[in-house]
Amino acid sequence: MFAFGMEPAAGPGLVFVVVPQLFAEMGGIIGLLFALLFFVGLSVAALTSSVSLLEVAVSYLIDEKHMTRTKAVLISCITMVSMCTLSSLSLGGIGPKLFDTGVFDIFDLLTDKIFLAVCGMFICIFAGWRMNKIDLENEITNHGEISFPLFNVWYRLVKYVIPFAIALVAFMGVKAGFDSGKGEVMLLGLAFIAFTAVISKRL
């Protein structure tokens, strides 16, 4: 990047803006070959990750809504493809916008600044305060088949320490969102979390 006089970036800007420009600067068959190999590898990584992530939603629909696997997969895939299409269109400047922010940037902001940290905090709260300790230990150790001698230490960290640490990370993420001029998007994310928390029977 520095050899071609380009500024480094991170996240989506690196993958979808800087790297393609870098391959274009290489020129010729070499740049085309590297671009082809890079994006084929990226597609395979994205596809395998999507399958594992999709299984969470599919399992929920099967277990809680008593759907068949075929129906659950179709509903999840249609939802995912719709969201991905809106995100892709926003990169070209033709997709819908909210608060003068494209769909892709909204998803990026919410997941990076709020959802990852807050969901992690809720998982710790659920594991430490809602689940039975014995059931949790059985889940982690596969009913004693896997040795975990530090379980009690880990359990106390999950119950008393980690939620506060993650809450601090979430607060700093929201603050960074406001500082970058995307306060409306941050409020939207917080409202979405509050709404799902209210309607969720698990909380």
Side-chain angles (χ1 to χ4, degrees):
M1 293 181 189
F2 295 108
F4 289 105
M6 294 181 176
E7 291 294 329
L14 173 64
V15 175
F16 298 111
V17 178
V18 176
V19 171
Q21 290 178 353
L22 179 64
F23 292 138
E25 289 291 334
M26 289 182 179
I29 190 67
I30 297 298
L32 180 62
L33 180 61
F34 274 105
L36 181 64
L37 291 174
F38 175 79
F39 284 108
V40 167
L42 184 65
S43 299
V44 172
L47 180 62
T48 53
S49 299
S50 298
V51 170
S52 61
L53 292 172
L54 192 65
E55 182 61 25
V56 177
V58 171
S59 297
Y60 168 78
L61 293 175
I62 292 174
D63 295 339
E64 300 295 331
K65 303 302 180 182
H66 308 293
M67 294 183 182
T68 63
R69 171 165 286 273
T70 301
K71 186 177 180 180
V73 169
L74 285 175
I75 291 176
S76 300
C77 286
I78 290 172
T79 303
M80 183 176 68
V81 168
S82 301
M83 298 174 70
C84 290
T85 301
L86 291 174
S87 298
S88 300
L89 290 175
S90 68
L91 289 175
I94 59 176
K97 289 187 176 183
L98 184 63
F99 306 121
D100 200 32
T101 306
V103 176
F104 184 89
D105 291 329
I106 289 176
F107 288 159
D108 181 46
L109 281 168
L110 292 181
T111 54
D112 180 45
K113 305 296 185 186
I114 301 180
F115 289 168
L116 289 176
V118 173
C119 290
M121 181 182 68
F122 282 163
I123 290 172
C124 289
I125 293 173
F126 180 79
W129 295 92
R130 295 287 292 176
M131 283 190 71
N132 181 277
K133 184 178 179 180
I134 296 176
D135 292 339
L136 181 61
E137 185 175 11
N138 288 334
E139 286 287 336
I140 293 175
T141 63
N142 197 18
H143 294 278
E145 293 183 9
I146 301 173
S147 176
F148 189 19
L150 296 177
F151 172 79
N152 287 325
V153 176
W154 173 86
Y155 182 75
R156 287 181 174 84
L157 288 173
V158 168
K159 189 170 185 177
Y160 299 112
V161 179
I162 297 177
F164 293 102
I166 298 179
L168 178 61
V169 172
F171 173 78
M172 296 305 296
V174 173
K175 183 177 181 298
F178 275 93
D179 292 341
S180 64
K182 300 297 182 182
E184 298 90 347
V185 179
M186 296 296 102
L187 291 175
L188 177 66
L190 293 174
F192 178 79
I193 290 174
F195 174 75
T196 54
V198 168
I199 66 173
S200 175
K201 67 179 181 180
R202 296 294 185 188
L203 292 178

